[in-house]
Amino acid sequence: MTPHGDGDGWVHCAAGHRHWGLFGAAGLLLRRDDAGTAEVLLQHRATWSHHGGTWGLLGGARHRRETVVDAALREAGEEGGLDPAYVEVHGRFDDSHGGWTYATVLAGARPGAVAQPTGGESIDVAWVAVEDVTSLPLHPGLAGAWPLLRDALHRPTVVVDAANVVGSRPDGWWRDRAGAARRLVDAVAGLSRSGLERSRLPPGLDLPELACWWPRWVVVLEGAARPAAQNAPQGVCVVAAEGSGDDAIVQAVHDAGGGPVLVVTADRGLRDRCHSIGAASVGSRWLADMFA
Ligand SMILES: [Zn+2]
């Protein structure tokens, strides 16, 4: 918590609990993979604090004009000394109590992320193996949400078959394939920033019900569209296929590593190949319709 944040104060939720944070609160659930073991960063809460002595997330009251992601990253910096440059956010879970919400920001740690207790609110800040979390005395908010959060620790990847998506709309793309592909890449970059709210996720992708996901986006270009890979905007990995676009898409699924993968294509043969290595798929209209 900031000493004089404008969100400081107690409120009562509709369930009758007392909570800290006039505009709600936010915390960071950060995952790292240390030599093959998945760990999460937890805070052992100071005994004088609310639910003192329990283990919870680095977090605290939101400021009035702050997004939940900004609030969670600020709190993690203040209490855990964590540099936000090492944090890759991929999801947000809203635990709504009626009139008060605790937002959990889910993220992965980049290599080299370090944390230690830096505020007066922690007995300790520690990386805990995912399988050991439930053996700790947990803050009740974390204990309640943990079964869902545990299944949302990995960032999903969306792989876009650009030729298929661009080709699904007869807007003259064949006159300028690179230009049409570039418009798709730029539109995907916008989605990368805004994230995908729950209602925009395709059926068939078996993800926990978060309020918002920020997947990793990979757009695969082939043939005459390949020049559109140059100077790609932030937030999108653009692959210019050397040979077959389908092979590059299958390779992107392999490279996604661990988390769920969704391939955007209407190509039946390609979908079968991707399903056989564990990816889900959705027709290109799902993406094209978001930009319509
Ligand atoms: Zn409550």
Side-chain angles (χ1 to χ4, degrees):
M1 104 184 61
T2 307
H4 302 291
D6 63 7
D8 288 358
W10 293 100
V11 292
H12 281 88
C13 72
H17 317 127
R18 195 171 67 117
H19 297 288
W20 181 256
L22 301 178
F23 311 109
L28 180 70
L29 180 54
L30 186 66
R31 191 204 88 250
R32 76 171 183 185
D33 294 299
D34 189 48
T37 302
E39 299 175 323
V40 289
L41 187 64
L42 297 183
Q43 178 194 42
H44 194 190
R45 299 166 66 87
T47 49
W48 57 264
S49 69
H50 197 212
H51 300 293
T54 62
W55 291 76
L57 302 180
L58 291 167
R62 258 178 86 182
H63 295 170
R64 182 193 295 268
R65 298 185 195 287
E66 202 174 37
T67 67
V68 294
V69 171
D70 288 345
L73 294 177
R74 174 182 52 74
E75 290 282 349
E78 289 169 3
E79 296 175 15
L82 193 73
D83 181 345
Y86 288 90
V87 178
E88 205 167 69
V89 171
H90 69 258
R92 190 188 89 224
F93 172 68
D94 289 344
D95 191 0
S96 174
H97 291 225
W100 190 85
T101 297
Y102 189 95
T104 300
V105 173
L106 294 115
R110 296 198 171 104
V114 290
Q116 68 276 320
T118 49
E121 294 174 47
S122 310
I123 297 168
D124 198 7
V125 170
W127 296 98
V128 177
V130 168
E131 62 201 44
D132 295 338
V133 168
T134 52
S135 62
L136 296 172
L138 296 179
H139 182 281
L142 177 58
W146 176 251
L148 180 145
L149 296 173
R150 181 192 174 124
D151 289 338
L153 292 174
H154 287 275
R155 188 179 202 180
T157 298
V158 182
V159 182
V160 180
D161 179 353
N164 196 270
V165 173
V166 167
S168 69
R169 304 177 66 82
D171 59 358
W173 55 266
W174 49 87
R175 288 190 290 270
D176 177 11
R177 289 169 196 253
R182 185 54 192 228
R183 286 193 294 279
L184 173 65
V185 168
D186 289 343
V188 167
L191 275 186
S192 168
R193 286 188 295 274
S194 66
L196 291 174
E197 292 187 9
R198 185 184 304 184
S199 60
R200 300 182 104 179
L201 289 174
L205 186 60
D206 190 20
L207 290 178
E209 296 227 330
L210 301 189
C212 190
W213 286 94
W214 286 271
R216 181 181 296 111
W217 290 87
V218 181
V219 177
V220 177
L221 308 175
E222 62 183 28
R226 296 173 73 241
Q230 284 165 14
N231 302 316
Q234 271 204 327
V236 189
C237 172
V238 184
V239 175
E242 295 285 339
S244 146
D246 286 10
D247 290 348
I249 287 164
V250 170
Q251 187 61 46
V253 173
H254 275 296
D255 293 345
V261 184
L262 177 71
V263 178
V264 185
T265 185
D267 181 318
R268 282 267 178 82
L270 177 57
R271 289 168 81 147
D272 289 345
R273 286 179 71 186
C274 294
H275 293 166
S276 72
I277 52 173
S281 68
V282 66
S284 46
R285 285 285 300 275
W286 170 74
L287 189 59
D289 286 353
M290 278 195 252
F291 308 138

